Amino acid sequence: MPLENTGQILDAARKAGYCVGAFNVFDHLSLESVINAAQDFLAPVIIQTSSGTVRRFGAKQLVAMTRTLSDDLSIPVGLHLDHGTEMELIQECIDAGYTSVMIDASHFPFVENVLRTRMVVENAHEKGVAVEGEIGILAGVEDDLVVQQDKAIYTTPEEAIQFQAESGVDFLAVAIGTAHGFYKVEPRLDIETLRVLHESVEFPLVIHGGTGLSMSILSALVSAGASKLNISTQIKKVFIDSLGSYIKTHPGEYDPIKMLKYTRGELMNTVSDYLEVLGSKGRINEESESLS
Ligand code: 13P
């Protein structure tokens, strides 16, 4: 099927009480692995790319690759720009056919964040593209953005409601103690805050920093109302570790197809584990192709 508006994918997830995996991809193999695993599990899925990946391939090529791989499938696939910070690059993704973009102006004061986000919302909605905003500050690294864990600021329901009303975002990334990248210390998540946020707002909530969270924490996040979970570093780790271990265990074998097939299998296993715990497995009925 054609690429699906990410807002609609998340609205359906919120309504039915499950969470959609949003996996950062960086090349054809990672993209293919995520889409294939989601199709095997009949799970809706969000493909997301960092700004760095857009700079590497160009938005048009990423849209073409994603469309080609998902056109004949029965699952809804959204294509999302993760952590957009440059207006020009965000616009490139909107124009090329991404089904959602994130504008991350969370490091600006609240009012400036609202203004910048609203500008993107106006452009994106004109083209039927959904928008993710962010308030509060997440710790860790995403492309060039580095934030110390002790500076993380958690989101309050009042802020979330005001931000959505004034900016018009379709879904919102909130800060409850997760961080980008590998956790150096045990994360102290405020899952109760997520539950209160979820009960107070009427739009889907996004949790960043999925890598390194245990299956029981992920399951608690879903129960508390997370509708979108971002996973990036774990995908990169499995990709690099799998290629590395294949090369090590097959010295002298110069058959890239075998190496890539092995890596795709490992990536698919990783993605499948996430889809299972997020509760998105089996949500697509193959006959009706509808979201439940
Ligand atoms: P991780 O790299 O910790 O999985 O975080 C991904 C993310 O939140 C991307 O926005």
Side-chain angles (χ1 to χ4, degrees):
M1 60 196 291
L3 295 179
E4 177 90 18
N5 180 285
T6 312
Q8 280 167 20
I9 294 178
L10 294 177
D11 285 343
R14 183 185 147 81
K15 215 186 282 170
Y18 63 89
C19 184
V20 181
F23 299 91
N24 286 59
V25 304
F26 37 80
D27 74 338
H28 191 274
L29 187 73
S30 52
L31 172 62
E32 182 196 15
S33 306
V34 173
I35 290 182
N36 287 358
Q39 176 63 35
D40 281 358
F41 268 15
L42 293 175
V45 76
I46 297 166
I47 297 296
Q48 55 187 25
T49 66
S50 69
S51 297
T53 302
V54 176
R55 279 186 216 109
R56 160 80 179 83
F57 289 97
K60 267 193 192 157
Q61 194 177 154
L62 292 164
V63 169
M65 274 156 62
T66 312
R67 278 191 184 143
T68 305
L69 287 168
S70 58
D71 259 359
D72 296 333
L73 304 183
S74 59
I75 52 161
V77 176
L79 178 59
H80 178 73
L81 170 69
D82 189 30
H83 287 285
T85 51
E86 297 160 23
M87 292 297 176
E88 213 174 301
L89 190 138
I90 293 171
Q91 194 62 45
E92 180 188 337
C93 293
I94 293 171
D95 293 340
Y98 273 56
T99 62
S100 58
V101 290
M102 175 181 187
I103 157 78
D104 181 1
S106 58
H107 42 292
F108 288 106
F110 188 88
V111 174
E112 174 98 21
N113 187 359
V114 168
L115 286 176
R116 286 173 180 259
T117 305
R118 197 168 60 207
M119 213 153 75
V120 171
V121 167
E122 280 163 10
N123 289 341
H125 283 184
E126 235 171 63
K127 295 214 164 190
V129 174
V131 178
E132 174 179 337
E134 178 174 325
I135 50 173
I137 294 177
L138 278 93
V141 183
E142 181 66 31
D143 277 354
D144 311 332
L145 225 61
V146 184
V147 181
Q148 299 301 318
Q149 194 150 14
D150 57 2
K151 292 221 181 95
I153 299 166
Y154 294 2
T155 306
T156 67
E158 294 72 30
E159 277 173 334
I161 291 167
Q162 188 188 348
F163 185 80
Q164 195 281 331
E166 293 180 7
S167 67
V169 284
D170 302 280
F171 42 102
L172 185 64
V174 292
I176 58 154
T178 57
H180 291 126
F182 296 114
Y183 290 94
K184 293 192 184 74
V185 289
E186 188 70 23
R188 276 174 295 133
L189 303 194
D190 190 348
I191 291 177
E192 196 43 37
T193 291
L194 176 62
R195 191 183 314 282
V196 172
L197 282 166
H198 174 64
E199 283 163 5
S200 316
V201 304
E202 284 171 4
F203 45 86
L205 297 174
V206 182
I207 299 297
H208 284 237
T211 296
L213 299 178
S214 67
M215 289 294 153
S216 64
I217 287 186
L218 291 175
S219 170
L221 290 172
V222 179
S223 304
S227 298
K228 173 177 183 269
L229 178 81
N230 287 6
I231 304 125
S232 175
T233 306
Q234 186 63 22
I235 300 297
K236 295 176 192 164
K237 180 179 187 316
V238 171
F239 180 89
I240 289 173
D241 286 355
S242 305
L243 288 173
S245 79
Y246 190 91
I247 291 166
K248 216 166 160 187
T249 51
H250 296 78
E253 180 192 284
Y254 296 105
D255 187 341
I257 298 291
K258 283 189 184 159
M259 179 180 71
L260 297 176
K261 195 172 164 195
Y262 172 77
T263 302
R264 185 181 60 189
E266 295 295 301
L267 284 170
M268 284 178 67
N269 289 341
T270 302
V271 171
S272 301
D273 289 346
Y274 280 109
L275 298 177
E276 179 113 47
V277 72
L278 297 181
S280 56
K281 181 182 172 186
R283 294 287 172 172
I284 305 306
N285 175 329
E286 217 154 359
E287 279 87 58
S288 70
E289 295 180 2
S290 63
L291 287 158
S292 65

